Amino acid sequence: EALLAEAAEPGTPPRPCPCPLPSGDTALSRLVRRLLSARRSLDLCLFSFSCPQLARAVQLLHRRGGRGRLVTDAQYMGLHGSQIGRLRHAGIQVRHDQHSGYMHHKFAIVDRRMLITGSLNWTTQAIQSNRENVLVVEDAEYVKAFQDEFEKIWEEYNPANYRFFPQKQ
Amino acid sequence: EALLAEAAEPGTPPRPCPCPLPSGDTALSRLVRRLLSARRSLDLCLFSFSCPQLARAVQLLHRRGGRGRLVTDAQYMGLHGSQIGRLRHAGIQVRHDQHSGYMHHKFAIVDRRMLITGSLNWTTQAIQSNRENVLVVEDAEYVKAFQDEFEKIWEEYNPANYRFFPQKQ
């Protein structure tokens, strides 16, 4: 919370966080810090996104003028607590799959140079209760593979390409 | 299937696979091939494991004399189609978490030198229908981090350390 407040209004003295969650250097704060390091773009490919702190970080980046894009799963985006509606409302571009399987990726790419990936869905339940892993990788080889997958999915899920009815031959 | 048959009985000519699934070089066959490359050990840390082909690969390695260890999630190991019972029956050591959150990792370490990790649960549904990623990494730095996590969890979930009732002070 202190990180987000400082990022929202730089220069104001940090107020002590009133929430009962662990403060200081947690896995969540490290993840927020990586996201807030974005200067130009943030590409998100997330099966499930219900963590309000992470949504606020994405909104902050968007307000600062970075380009945020988000791909998510059609079945999970409407679940209780999902942050997708809020992010769409804030102006972030969101696309989702249109097939019955899950869009099960859980990765983010910061400024096309840092890949954040792993088992973690961006949910409060996962962050607080699960055993998870998050890899942060800057090797160009890995970043490129995920960036290519992102661009491919982004185009595939473009609403302009929706095909709700079979085409006549 | 052809890969597993060849690994089970080396030297016998491969029979054509009767199943209607895609044959040849698929993501599943590449994953099976990496697993079958194990010579000494296979450490698995899997939230959900219901794919019969992958279970057969693990059994084969066990029969060949490699050391197989498996950590999984207590809530998901009993679900319909889970391969955990079969693997236990075949003599593979299995441990599971004892808390309400999920043991949500999805990684494997081959011979303590190759890390296979990503978003993929080892289920037929995920392999056939989902959009997933699997990273195969041999950099010692990443392998060590996951191997350390595996050893930590393996010890933590040792049945000898179970504490079902609070200890008297």
Side-chain angles (χ1 to χ4, degrees):
Chain A
E1 291 294 326
L3 267 178
L4 290 166
E6 164 66 19
E9 301 169 62
T12 52
R15 282 161 302 177
C17 175
C19 76
L21 293 173
S23 58
D25 192 43
T26 61
L28 176 58
S29 74
R30 289 199 296 277
L31 179 51
V32 167
R33 201 171 285 125
R34 305 276 184 174
L35 295 179
L36 292 176
S37 77
R39 288 295 167 264
R40 291 179 307 281
S41 68
L42 183 63
D43 293 324
L44 303 168
C45 202
L46 297 168
F47 172 51
S48 179
F49 192 165
S50 67
C51 172
Q53 287 89 349
L54 292 171
R56 280 173 55 203
V58 175
Q59 269 183 281
L60 270 172
L61 291 173
H62 182 71
R63 254 191 275 151
R64 268 200 223 149
R67 186 189 186 197
R69 296 184 292 176
L70 197 160
V71 168
T72 191
D73 182 76
Q75 290 158 81
Y76 268 66
M77 65 187 280
L79 292 196
H80 182 70
S82 169
Q83 299 289 311
I84 302 296
R86 169 185 178 173
L87 292 171
R88 269 197 158 142
H89 192 71
I92 288 138
Q93 283 186 284
V94 176
R95 295 184 181 176
H96 57 80
D97 68 326
Q98 302 139 57
H99 48 81
S100 60
Y102 290 137
M103 199 311 296
H104 201 239
H105 286 307
K106 314 123 182 358
F107 70 83
I109 306 174
V110 175
D111 289 339
R112 306 178 75 91
R113 64 169 175 79
M114 181 198 291
L115 167 67
I116 301 169
T117 190
S119 64
L120 183 77
N121 291 311
W122 288 21
T123 67
T124 305
Q125 134 84 17
I127 291 165
Q128 289 183 0
S129 314
N130 290 0
R131 198 56 99 133
E132 303 274 3
N133 63 75
V134 177
L135 266 167
V136 180
V137 179
E138 303 202 40
D139 309 55
E141 183 192 355
Y142 297 120
V143 177
K144 185 176 183 311
F146 281 77
Q147 187 76 54
D148 289 350
E149 170 75 357
F150 184 89
E151 302 297 346
K152 195 174 130 192
I153 297 185
W154 185 252
E155 206 35 58
E156 190 179 324
Y157 298 166
N158 185 340
N161 299 333
Y162 280 7
R163 291 283 175 273
F164 292 109
F165 304 103
Q167 303 292 299
K168 276 198 183 161
Q169 299 299 317
Chain B
E1 290 295 326
L3 268 177
L4 290 165
E6 165 66 20
E9 300 170 63
T12 52
R15 281 162 304 175
C17 175
C19 76
L21 293 174
S23 59
D25 192 42
T26 62
L28 176 58
S29 73
R30 290 198 296 277
L31 179 51
V32 167
R33 201 170 284 126
R34 305 276 183 175
L35 295 179
L36 292 176
S37 77
R39 288 296 167 265
R40 292 179 305 282
S41 67
L42 182 64
D43 293 324
L44 302 168
C45 201
L46 298 168
F47 173 51
S48 179
F49 192 165
S50 68
C51 173
Q53 286 88 350
L54 292 171
R56 280 173 54 202
V58 174
Q59 271 182 278
L60 270 173
L61 291 173
H62 182 70
R63 254 191 274 152
R64 268 201 226 148
R67 186 188 187 198
R69 296 184 292 175
L70 197 161
V71 168
T72 191
D73 183 76
Q75 290 158 81
Y76 268 64
M77 65 187 280
L79 292 197
H80 181 70
S82 168
Q83 299 290 311
I84 303 297
R86 168 184 178 173
L87 292 171
R88 270 198 157 141
H89 192 71
I92 288 138
Q93 282 186 282
V94 176
R95 295 184 181 178
H96 58 78
D97 67 326
Q98 302 140 56
H99 48 80
S100 61
Y102 290 137
M103 198 311 294
H104 201 239
H105 287 306
K106 312 125 184 357
F107 69 84
I109 307 175
V110 175
D111 288 341
R112 304 178 77 90
R113 63 168 176 82
M114 182 199 291
L115 167 66
I116 301 170
T117 188
S119 64
L120 183 78
N121 292 311
W122 288 20
T123 67
T124 305
Q125 132 85 18
I127 290 166
Q128 290 183 359
S129 314
N130 291 0
R131 197 57 99 135
E132 304 275 3
N133 64 75
V134 177
L135 266 167
V136 180
V137 180
E138 302 202 40
D139 309 54
E141 183 192 356
Y142 296 121
V143 177
K144 185 177 183 310
F146 281 77
Q147 187 76 55
D148 289 351
E149 171 74 358
F150 184 88
E151 302 298 345
K152 195 173 131 193
I153 297 185
W154 185 252
E155 206 36 57
E156 190 179 323
Y157 298 166
N158 186 340
N161 299 331
Y162 280 7
R163 290 284 175 272
F164 293 107
F165 303 103
Q167 302 294 300
K168 275 196 182 162
Q169 298 300 319

